[in-house]
Amino acid sequence: QITLKESGPTLVKPTQTLTLTCTFSGFSFSTSGEGVGWIRQPPGKALEWLALIYWNDDKSYSPSLKTRLTVKKDSSKNQVVLTMTNMGPVDTATYYCAHSRPRDGERAFDMWGQGTMVTVSS
Amino acid sequence: SYVVTQPPSVSVAPGKTARITCGGNNIGLKSVHWSQQKPGQAPVVVIYYDSDRPSGIPERFSGSNSGNTATLTISRVEAGDEADYYCEVWDSSNNHPVFGGGTKLTVL
């Protein structure tokens, strides 16, 4: 059974850097094909994909946010860490991590964490 | 970047069939995944790879995908099905996922 849980600050100030951690169980980065993604959702708005990290340490980022995002994994701790620099009020959102499953050259998020709400305000 | 389009809202009476669409250029050549999100909760996948149903998801949920439209069908709709539904596809040209804007399902 795959589970994921996000953790991090609930409030950050404008211009600060946000660091979120996703702690997971039920799969391992030692298995070929595994991946973890980050997705956010501003209040009342749609889902927006941010980043993906794969078992082989490959990474991909949303083109619109690429310059502000970094994703890393700690396989020994079953954790993935997302950092986002220069936070602003528009970055206020619930941030989710999710398990990414491959099949036939494509991928799907098949299990999501509960999400963590981050507010950007001075 | 690949774009997928969903209707903002769909309404259906209890016991009837709801159909929520996800449109995109030749989306039938891609795999489409559907998630249900109830207020204050995280998304839950109800259909993946066009028509596969995760364990625990009722058989009332089904999916299809052809041409330029993928469809999530919910049969015998219940009040508990009221939620936002999002489609997701893999943009193979850019190697990243794309989400639709979401559809709010209202059970009348």
Side-chain angles (χ1 to χ4, degrees):
Chain A
Q1 178 191 359
I2 291 174
T3 64
L4 308 99
K5 187 173 184 179
E6 307 85 353
S7 58
T10 57
L11 179 66
V12 298
K13 291 181 168 49
T15 76
Q16 286 187 335
T17 294
L18 172 68
T19 300
L20 295 174
T21 300
C22 175
T23 303
F24 60 84
S25 63
F27 67 96
S28 169
F29 275 125
S30 63
T31 302
S32 175
E34 296 290 4
V36 171
W38 286 94
I39 305 99
R40 72 178 179 179
Q41 185 175 38
K45 296 190 176 181
L47 302 169
E48 178 186 18
W49 170 72
L50 301 176
L52 257 170
I53 188 164
Y54 300 94
W55 84 103
N56 59 0
D57 213 35
D58 280 351
K59 300 147 188 165
S60 62
Y61 297 101
S62 166
S64 62
L65 293 167
K66 183 174 184 175
T67 60
R68 299 174 53 204
L69 295 172
T70 303
V71 64
K72 297 180 179 179
K73 63 180 176 61
D74 185 335
S75 300
S76 66
K77 295 183 179 179
N78 281 355
Q79 290 182 334
V80 172
V81 175
L82 177 77
T83 60
M84 180 180 290
T85 61
N86 194 25
M87 294 289 286
V90 297
D91 298 310
T92 293
T94 297
Y95 288 75
Y96 297 98
C97 62
H99 176 251
S100 175
R101 180 182 298 277
R103 191 166 103 179
D104 298 334
E106 297 184 320
R107 305 191 70 91
F109 292 120
D110 63 350
M111 187 62 66
W112 295 63
Q114 65 187 27
T116 186
M117 177 67 193
V118 177
T119 300
V120 183
S121 175
S122 54
Chain B
S1 192
Y2 192 77
V3 175
V4 291
T5 304
Q6 297 182 239
S9 62
V10 168
S11 298
V12 63
K16 300 298 186 183
T17 297
R19 294 179 179 85
I20 299 171
T21 59
C22 179
N25 186 38
N26 287 322
I27 198 171
L29 299 179
K30 302 179 180 296
S31 294
V32 179
H33 324 293
W34 294 92
S35 292
Q36 175 195 68
Q37 186 180 35
K38 296 182 179 179
Q41 298 184 19
V44 172
V45 177
V46 293
I47 292 288
Y48 57 173
Y49 292 102
D50 292 340
S51 57
D52 290 350
R53 206 170 38 250
S55 61
I57 301 300
E59 291 184 5
R60 301 185 297 106
F61 289 82
S62 62
S64 62
N65 185 15
S66 179
N68 293 318
T69 305
T71 303
L72 171 69
T73 301
I74 309 172
S75 304
R76 302 180 301 282
V77 166
E78 303 172 357
D81 298 330
E82 191 162 279
D84 293 327
Y85 290 84
Y86 291 91
C87 64
E88 172 203 340
V89 302
W90 185 255
D91 180 354
S92 51
S93 297
N94 295 292
N95 268 336
H96 65 69
V98 175
F99 288 101
T103 297
K104 181 176 180 57
L105 177 68
T106 299
V107 181
L108 301 171

